[in-house]
Amino acid sequence: MNFLNPFFLFGLLAIAIPIVLHFINFRKPRQVAFSTIAFFSELQKTTLKRLNIKRLLLLAVRSLALIFLALALARPFLPAQLTDLSSGRSPILYGMLIDNSPGMNQIDENGPYIDQAKEFAEDVISQAKSNDQFLIMTTHGDPGHTRAVNQQEAERLLKDVEVENKGAYTSEQIKFIAQQLSQDNVALGMMYWISHGQKTHINSLDQLMLDEDGIQKEFAPVQFVKIGKQSDANTAVTAIRSTNSIISSGKPFSVEIEVQNYGREPVYNQFLSLDIEGNSMGEYQVDLDAGQSESYVFEVVPQSPGDLKGLARLEGGTYTFDDKRYFSISIPETRQILLVRDDRQNSEYRSYLKPVLEAAGQTNSRIRFNELPVDQLKGESIEDYDAVMLDGLVDIPDFIHSDLQRFVQEGKGLIIFPSEGSDLNSYNTFLDLFNAGQFTGLRGDYGRFEQIGGFHSLIQGHPILDEIFEKQEDEEISITMPDLYYYWIYNSGGQSHSNTIFNSNLNEPLLTEHRYGDGLLMVSSLGADPGWSNFPANPLFAPVYFRMALYAVSFEDTRMQEHILGRPFDRGYAFSNLDIEIEINDINVRPEAAITAEGVQIHYNAKDWEPGWAKISDGQEQRSLAINQDVSESDFEAFTIQELEDKISKHLHLLDVMDTYNMSVDDMNFRIGSAGFGREIWNWFVWLALVLLVIECLITSKYKAER
């Protein structure tokens, strides 16, 4: 008989308690004088014998009860040679989850971590019995096999396990193994999780759905096996982003690349470069302190519309799986704006928005617009547009609320210009959908041309205002600011996602930007006609409104088109048919596709994907997409043994955490046998202790105290 928790054998020391009580309670019977001395002397001897028997029985029973409880806590089990007889135990199904993340390429004096993990798994398989079954799974990528196999097949599958630079599916694989082990046809189940204990992987347990007591009740016991001595340092390209909000062909924009040092020591003489369509955009030398991240900016000039593909490359690091990061950004050939007007307006002044949009169509920005009355918007699909402008509506009809909300949430732009006769309550009801503040009142008289204020001086730093003026770096802007005759008082609500672009000289917002979902909402306190201000006659009007339109239509385009490994590929494209094909790293796949109101929704599990570029095509149109590894894979920092025990035991039925680095071969083989090849009998000792406690009660009541 062996023990899984031999530490609790120290509980055997508790047998000293009844022994001490025995001696403390030891007392002589009280002497009573009587004339017949001889008779009572004999009676005294008999009484003392009975009292001693009672004491000895109670001492033995209490001591044995404590011994059995201590043994139960130590979790005794019978080794396989005693339980695996001809009529012995049922076959065991072993679920083996092997960490094959990029971090398992680390090496210590015992060799590569992945090889150590496979060797441990081989030892488990070799010590199993011929009728045992094995489920060999990996944490990264698609394991390709989801059935239980025998020893020979398990050994063959184990040889094929390699480190994969693919997505992590740790919690998903744990769930799958647990489901297999909990099936009715599985008499005994055991799970081995073999990993170097990388924090980002262990933390994925938080995705598991827990029972009320915090642990997955249906999960079989889990034996965690920690591989390796320590975590190596690593540097990685962690992010690529565009710093511009407006991107057009022929005009430069900036690409910002972030590099992170995940180690505890500084790194020197590494080099970061950027390639665009095979052409080098320059190079930086990278020197980073321990734990430091740094951003490097490259200037890129797209030569033509279409998907622009780039690759950031870091050279000089030890590990290469994360020294590349891909990006794709769309430079559209045309941008579509829907201008929604209200024919119910009888204002004597005309909006200047339409002339601005007509002029914009003559530029290389390739802005195109379509004009519709608001009452014709019902039944009109707005998904084909990049931005919508509501110009002077009396009210915003309820039937377009949900469409416009979804339109913005999915990454498009919406601009609202009020009318002097607009219903404030209707506008405020609509703004509530976006948590975008409220109109609270009016200032001035529309069309009376009496100045009540003016624009605050321009402060550059927003994409709408940048690049309007050609000036030297330290040169100040000198321009006559427009006068205000009439405007709505707007309270933006002070939300963190809002930004005021223009203010009045009374410090009240005139143009406010709100981020909502993936898109943009801009709210103007001014209409676009001369009855509000002399802004339409100001030289600033046309360039500002043009860039406002360009900013709204470009908002979705400035985001990098990227898919992160470890997640299902699920996104929509404005394709016209369902014949979808995805090509990634010269491999073609056919995903699931369904027609929606927005176009075609595409779904694929993406477990077999590696970093690179993907081409998504319906046979007529083609889009590019960058595929990148999750940056959490680059941080090799691992939990300690105690941290692993604390973290895993909150989610799973943890048997133990084995530290293979500090364990001899004999000890490891013993622990393997202890974990799964014997039969636990701790419950026997609990029952024996309970029986002894009942006997103790009977003895106490049977033998009354004598005088």
Side-chain angles (χ1 to χ4, degrees):
M1 182 176 68
N2 295 310
F3 301 91
L4 291 177
N5 294 325
F7 174 79
F8 284 101
L9 291 176
F10 285 108
L12 293 174
L13 299 177
I15 64 172
I17 297 174
I19 295 174
V20 171
L21 292 175
H22 173 76
F23 286 107
I24 291 176
N25 290 330
F26 181 78
R27 57 187 177 84
K28 296 181 179 180
R30 183 165 55 90
Q31 295 182 358
V32 179
F34 197 78
S35 58
T36 312
I37 299 301
F39 170 76
F40 280 103
S41 295
E42 189 65 28
L43 181 61
Q44 183 184 40
K45 293 178 182 179
T46 304
T47 302
L48 287 174
K49 288 180 181 179
R50 288 163 54 195
L51 188 60
N52 286 333
I53 292 173
K54 171 189 173 182
R55 288 171 175 166
L56 292 174
L57 283 173
L58 288 175
L59 175 62
V61 168
R62 290 167 178 168
S63 299
L64 286 173
L66 288 173
I67 289 172
F68 289 150
L69 286 174
L71 291 174
L73 290 173
R75 294 178 64 186
F77 70 95
L78 296 177
Q81 59 268 28
L82 298 180
T83 59
D84 191 30
L85 305 175
S86 58
S87 59
R89 66 166 172 83
S90 301
I92 296 178
L93 174 59
Y94 292 96
M96 307 192 74
L97 182 61
I98 301 172
D99 184 353
N100 65 330
S101 66
M104 292 294 281
N105 268 329
Q106 296 178 83
I107 301 175
D108 61 16
E109 51 264 44
N110 295 324
Y113 288 5
I114 187 65
D115 290 346
Q116 296 180 48
K118 292 165 67 174
E119 289 171 4
F120 181 89
E122 288 173 355
D123 289 342
V124 174
I125 295 172
S126 65
Q127 292 191 40
K129 302 307 173 184
S130 59
N131 57 351
D132 288 337
Q133 295 283 301
F134 299 88
L135 189 61
I136 308 296
M137 306 290 289
T138 53
T139 59
H140 286 60
D142 190 352
H145 48 269
T146 57
R147 59 181 179 85
V149 297
N150 58 26
Q151 279 182 305
Q152 292 73 25
E153 183 70 7
E155 291 172 349
R156 186 190 67 79
L157 291 174
L158 198 58
K159 291 179 181 178
D160 296 334
V161 172
E162 299 293 343
V163 168
E164 301 275 10
N165 188 20
K166 297 181 179 179
Y169 301 94
T170 304
S171 61
E172 183 178 324
Q173 305 295 54
I174 288 176
K175 286 181 182 178
F176 178 81
I177 294 174
Q179 290 170 356
Q180 301 303 306
L181 298 183
S182 63
Q183 290 183 1
D184 294 337
N185 61 342
V186 178
L188 296 173
M190 174 75 184
M191 185 190 303
Y192 277 96
W193 183 359
I194 310 173
S195 169
H196 71 111
Q198 188 168 327
K199 288 186 176 181
T200 54
H201 298 159
I202 307 302
N203 286 333
S204 68
L205 290 175
D206 295 334
Q207 301 172 17
L208 294 172
M209 297 297 292
L210 299 180
D211 298 317
E212 292 182 0
D213 60 357
I215 298 177
Q216 295 281 0
K217 292 180 180 178
E218 72 276 12
F219 279 16
V222 176
Q223 175 68 61
F224 189 90
V225 182
K226 188 178 188 305
I227 302 295
K229 178 181 180 181
Q230 60 187 13
S231 302
D232 289 347
N234 185 33
T235 53
V237 180
T238 55
I240 301 179
R241 61 182 72 91
S242 169
T243 60
N244 297 68
S245 298
I246 301 175
I247 300 177
S248 300
S249 61
K251 291 190 175 182
F253 72 97
S254 298
V255 174
E256 184 178 77
I257 302 174
E258 184 180 272
V259 180
Q260 171 85 39
N261 175 14
Y262 287 101
R264 298 180 180 177
E265 299 293 336
V267 295
Y268 303 103
N269 297 324
Q270 296 190 13
F271 297 92
L272 176 68
S273 60
L274 176 66
D275 293 337
I276 301 291
E277 305 290 352
N279 299 314
S280 175
M281 297 291 106
E283 184 178 78
Y284 286 93
Q285 178 174 323
V286 177
D287 300 322
L288 297 173
D289 292 333
Q292 181 186 4
S293 65
E294 187 71 39
S295 294
Y296 303 87
V297 179
F298 296 82
E299 188 174 88
V300 177
V301 182
Q303 299 301 318
S304 60
D307 290 333
L308 185 70
K309 296 189 298 184
L311 170 64
R313 189 193 312 270
L314 182 66
E315 298 177 353
T318 304
Y319 299 95
T320 60
F321 77 95
D322 54 3
D323 62 1
K324 296 178 182 178
R325 199 159 189 90
Y326 301 82
F327 78 87
S328 176
I329 192 167
S330 177
I331 313 295
E333 185 170 352
T334 61
R335 296 179 169 96
Q336 300 291 331
I337 293 179
L338 177 62
L339 180 62
V340 181
R341 68 176 191 273
D342 196 335
D343 289 342
R344 294 172 293 175
Q345 278 284 36
N346 295 316
S347 173
E348 57 183 303
Y349 303 109
R350 293 288 183 179
S351 169
Y352 279 42
L353 278 182
K354 185 175 179 179
V356 169
L357 294 178
E358 288 174 342
Q362 307 302 316
T363 68
N364 62 0
S365 64
R366 296 182 172 87
I367 288 181
R368 304 290 182 265
F369 80 97
N370 186 27
E371 186 180 12
L372 275 179
V374 66
D375 56 359
Q376 294 183 20
L377 197 58
K378 201 168 192 177
E380 176 77 8
S381 174
I382 62 175
E383 302 301 330
D384 296 334
Y385 296 95
D386 300 293
V388 173
M389 290 184 170
L390 305 182
D391 186 17
L393 304 189
V394 174
D395 55 47
I396 302 178
D398 293 344
F399 68 82
I400 63 173
H401 282 196
S402 59
D403 289 343
L404 289 175
Q405 184 182 27
R406 185 173 62 252
F407 180 80
V408 176
Q409 192 168 15
E410 292 175 353
K412 306 298 182 68
L414 173 64
I415 308 178
I416 299 175
F417 297 97
S419 160
E420 78 280 3
S422 296
D423 181 355
L424 265 67
N425 290 329
S426 172
Y427 274 65
N428 287 337
T429 299
F430 181 71
L431 293 176
D432 280 341
L433 299 175
F434 301 87
N435 193 24
Q438 297 277 283
F439 289 111
T440 59
L442 305 169
R443 287 203 188 277
D445 293 313
Y446 175 78
R448 293 193 63 177
F449 306 107
E450 295 180 358
Q451 182 180 354
I452 61 168
F455 277 61
H456 195 278
S457 58
L458 292 180
I459 300 176
Q460 286 190 287
H462 191 278
I464 291 178
L465 302 178
D466 291 345
E467 301 181 12
I468 289 182
F469 304 97
E470 292 185 3
K471 65 183 188 67
Q472 301 298 322
E473 183 176 352
D474 298 330
E475 187 179 356
E476 293 187 1
I477 300 172
S478 178
I479 188 170
T480 301
M481 301 305 296
D483 296 331
L484 295 173
Y485 311 138
Y486 173 75
Y487 64 91
W488 285 9
I489 302 173
Y490 179 64
N491 181 2
S492 64
Q495 304 296 327
S496 59
H497 58 266
S498 66
N499 178 35
T500 299
I501 302 171
F502 286 124
N503 261 334
S504 72
N505 56 8
L506 299 177
N507 202 32
E508 292 174 333
L510 299 178
L511 181 63
T512 306
E513 167 191 7
H514 297 272
R515 304 294 175 91
Y516 182 77
D518 293 330
L520 169 73
L521 168 68
M522 283 193 285
V523 181
S524 174
S525 297
L526 297 170
D529 64 72
W532 300 75
S533 74
N534 65 353
F535 193 19
N538 190 287
L540 197 61
F541 179 84
V544 166
Y545 275 58
F546 164 69
R547 289 190 64 81
M548 191 187 303
L550 190 59
Y551 180 58
V553 297
S554 303
F555 197 77
E556 184 180 30
D557 300 328
T558 58
R559 297 198 313 273
M560 298 296 177
Q561 305 299 310
E562 180 183 47
H563 174 74
I564 301 299
L565 295 175
R567 311 167 190 174
F569 176 76
D570 195 352
R571 63 174 60 204
Y573 287 93
F575 291 149
S576 56
N577 63 71
L578 294 177
D579 187 21
I580 307 298
E581 183 177 77
I582 301 177
E583 178 185 339
I584 177 170
N585 300 329
D586 299 324
I587 299 175
N588 295 332
V589 298
R590 292 280 182 176
E592 299 175 15
I595 295 178
T596 66
E598 295 79 25
V600 175
Q601 193 71 22
I602 303 172
H603 178 80
Y604 186 68
N605 66 24
K607 288 186 175 181
D608 55 335
W609 286 3
E610 295 180 339
W613 286 297
K615 297 178 182 177
I616 300 98
S617 172
D618 69 344
Q620 299 176 3
E621 298 182 60
Q622 179 177 291
R623 298 297 301 270
S624 294
L625 184 72
I627 311 297
N628 286 311
Q629 183 58 274
D630 193 312
V631 295
S632 64
E633 295 292 341
S634 300
D635 187 358
F636 294 160
E637 185 177 1
F639 280 126
T640 64
I641 298 298
Q642 185 60 53
E643 289 172 335
L644 286 168
E645 291 176 351
D646 295 341
K647 181 71 175 180
I648 299 174
S649 60
K650 292 180 181 178
H651 300 272
L652 305 173
H653 290 287
L654 180 66
L655 281 179
D656 193 13
V657 175
M658 295 174 58
D659 184 4
T660 60
Y661 182 81
N662 296 310
M663 192 177 297
S664 66
V665 175
D666 291 340
D667 191 19
M668 188 182 304
N669 289 332
F670 170 76
R671 295 284 291 276
I672 290 174
S674 301
F677 294 104
R679 179 183 179 186
E680 291 194 54
I681 56 173
W682 60 269
N683 53 323
W684 294 4
F685 291 91
V686 172
W687 283 110
L688 286 172
L690 291 175
V691 170
L692 289 171
L693 291 175
V694 172
I695 293 173
E696 193 266 352
C697 293
L698 293 175
I699 294 173
T700 304
S701 62
K702 179 72 174 176
Y703 295 97
K704 304 295 183 182
E706 296 85 356
R707 293 187 177 182

